[in-house]
Amino acid sequence: NIAIVVKGVVTAIAPGTATITARADDKEATCIITVEQRTIQVSGIYLDQTKATVTEGETLTLTATVTPADATDKTITWSTSDPSVATVANGVVTAITPGTATITARAGNKEATCVITVEERYIPLTDIVLDPTEVTIEVGALFTITATLLPENTSEKTVSWTTSDRKIVTVRR
């Protein structure tokens, strides 16, 4: 099952150890043969995407294919060019902050990359709170009203001010 011999020519069949014996008359000699698994090198690695856009806080799964399919060691190692922008573990990319990072998959001495663009997550405005909500002032006086946008990390940053009657009060921006 490990090796066969015909007229002194040994053919390796499978990994393991076999003893080859030669006999002539009442004499014999042996040779121990160790057959090792044939190493099949990685010839390439490919990712299902070469560029992608992800929103911060979200994940994306990259799938790597190693060739040939019967390569001896198809272990894939993953890395990122900028862990502050995107991290990667077993092909799962997590978007951290807006920016660009290159994700690299390596198998053997081959590598494939995917450029990840992380976009800012849009956080909708849920409310505007004014402080104060009612005030009495004298003619000609200035007063500041503070507008707080909620949630505090909303993507909306611009406040527009208007008045219901410009003859009574005006608003400076």
Side-chain angles (χ1 to χ4, degrees), residues 20-172:
I20 305 297
T21 304
R23 290 188 184 92
D25 199 18
D26 62 343
K27 306 291 183 212
E28 70 177 39
T30 61
C31 176
I32 298 173
I33 301 286
T34 301
V35 178
E36 295 179 343
Q37 179 66 42
R38 186 177 93 184
T39 301
I40 300 172
Q41 298 296 324
V42 170
S43 63
I45 182 169
Y46 307 93
L47 292 176
D48 60 336
Q49 298 180 63
T50 57
K51 64 181 179 176
T53 301
V54 186
T55 301
E56 65 181 320
E58 293 184 354
T59 62
L60 167 76
T61 300
L62 294 174
T63 302
T65 303
V66 175
T67 59
D70 61 346
T72 304
D73 183 2
K74 296 191 290 185
T75 302
I76 299 168
T77 56
W78 297 88
S79 63
T80 179
S81 65
D82 192 343
S84 68
V85 172
T87 60
V88 63
N90 298 317
V92 178
V93 178
T94 302
I96 306 297
T97 58
T100 303
T102 300
I103 303 300
T104 303
R106 287 184 181 83
N109 63 355
K110 304 296 181 183
E111 66 179 41
T113 60
C114 179
V115 176
I116 300 292
T117 301
V118 177
E119 293 181 337
E120 185 175 14
R121 180 171 54 115
Y122 178 79
I123 301 171
L125 178 68
T126 59
D127 201 4
I128 300 174
V129 177
L130 296 182
D131 183 29
T133 58
E134 188 174 323
V135 66
T136 302
I137 59 174
E138 294 180 2
V139 173
L142 295 176
F143 186 80
T144 301
I145 300 173
T146 303
T148 303
L149 304 179
L150 298 176
E152 289 182 9
N153 63 343
T154 182
S155 297
E156 299 296 329
K157 304 294 183 201
T158 305
V159 176
S160 298
W161 298 92
T162 60
T163 179
S164 63
D165 191 339
R166 292 181 54 90
K167 293 177 187 171
I168 296 174
V169 68
T170 60
V171 179
R172 291 186 192 175

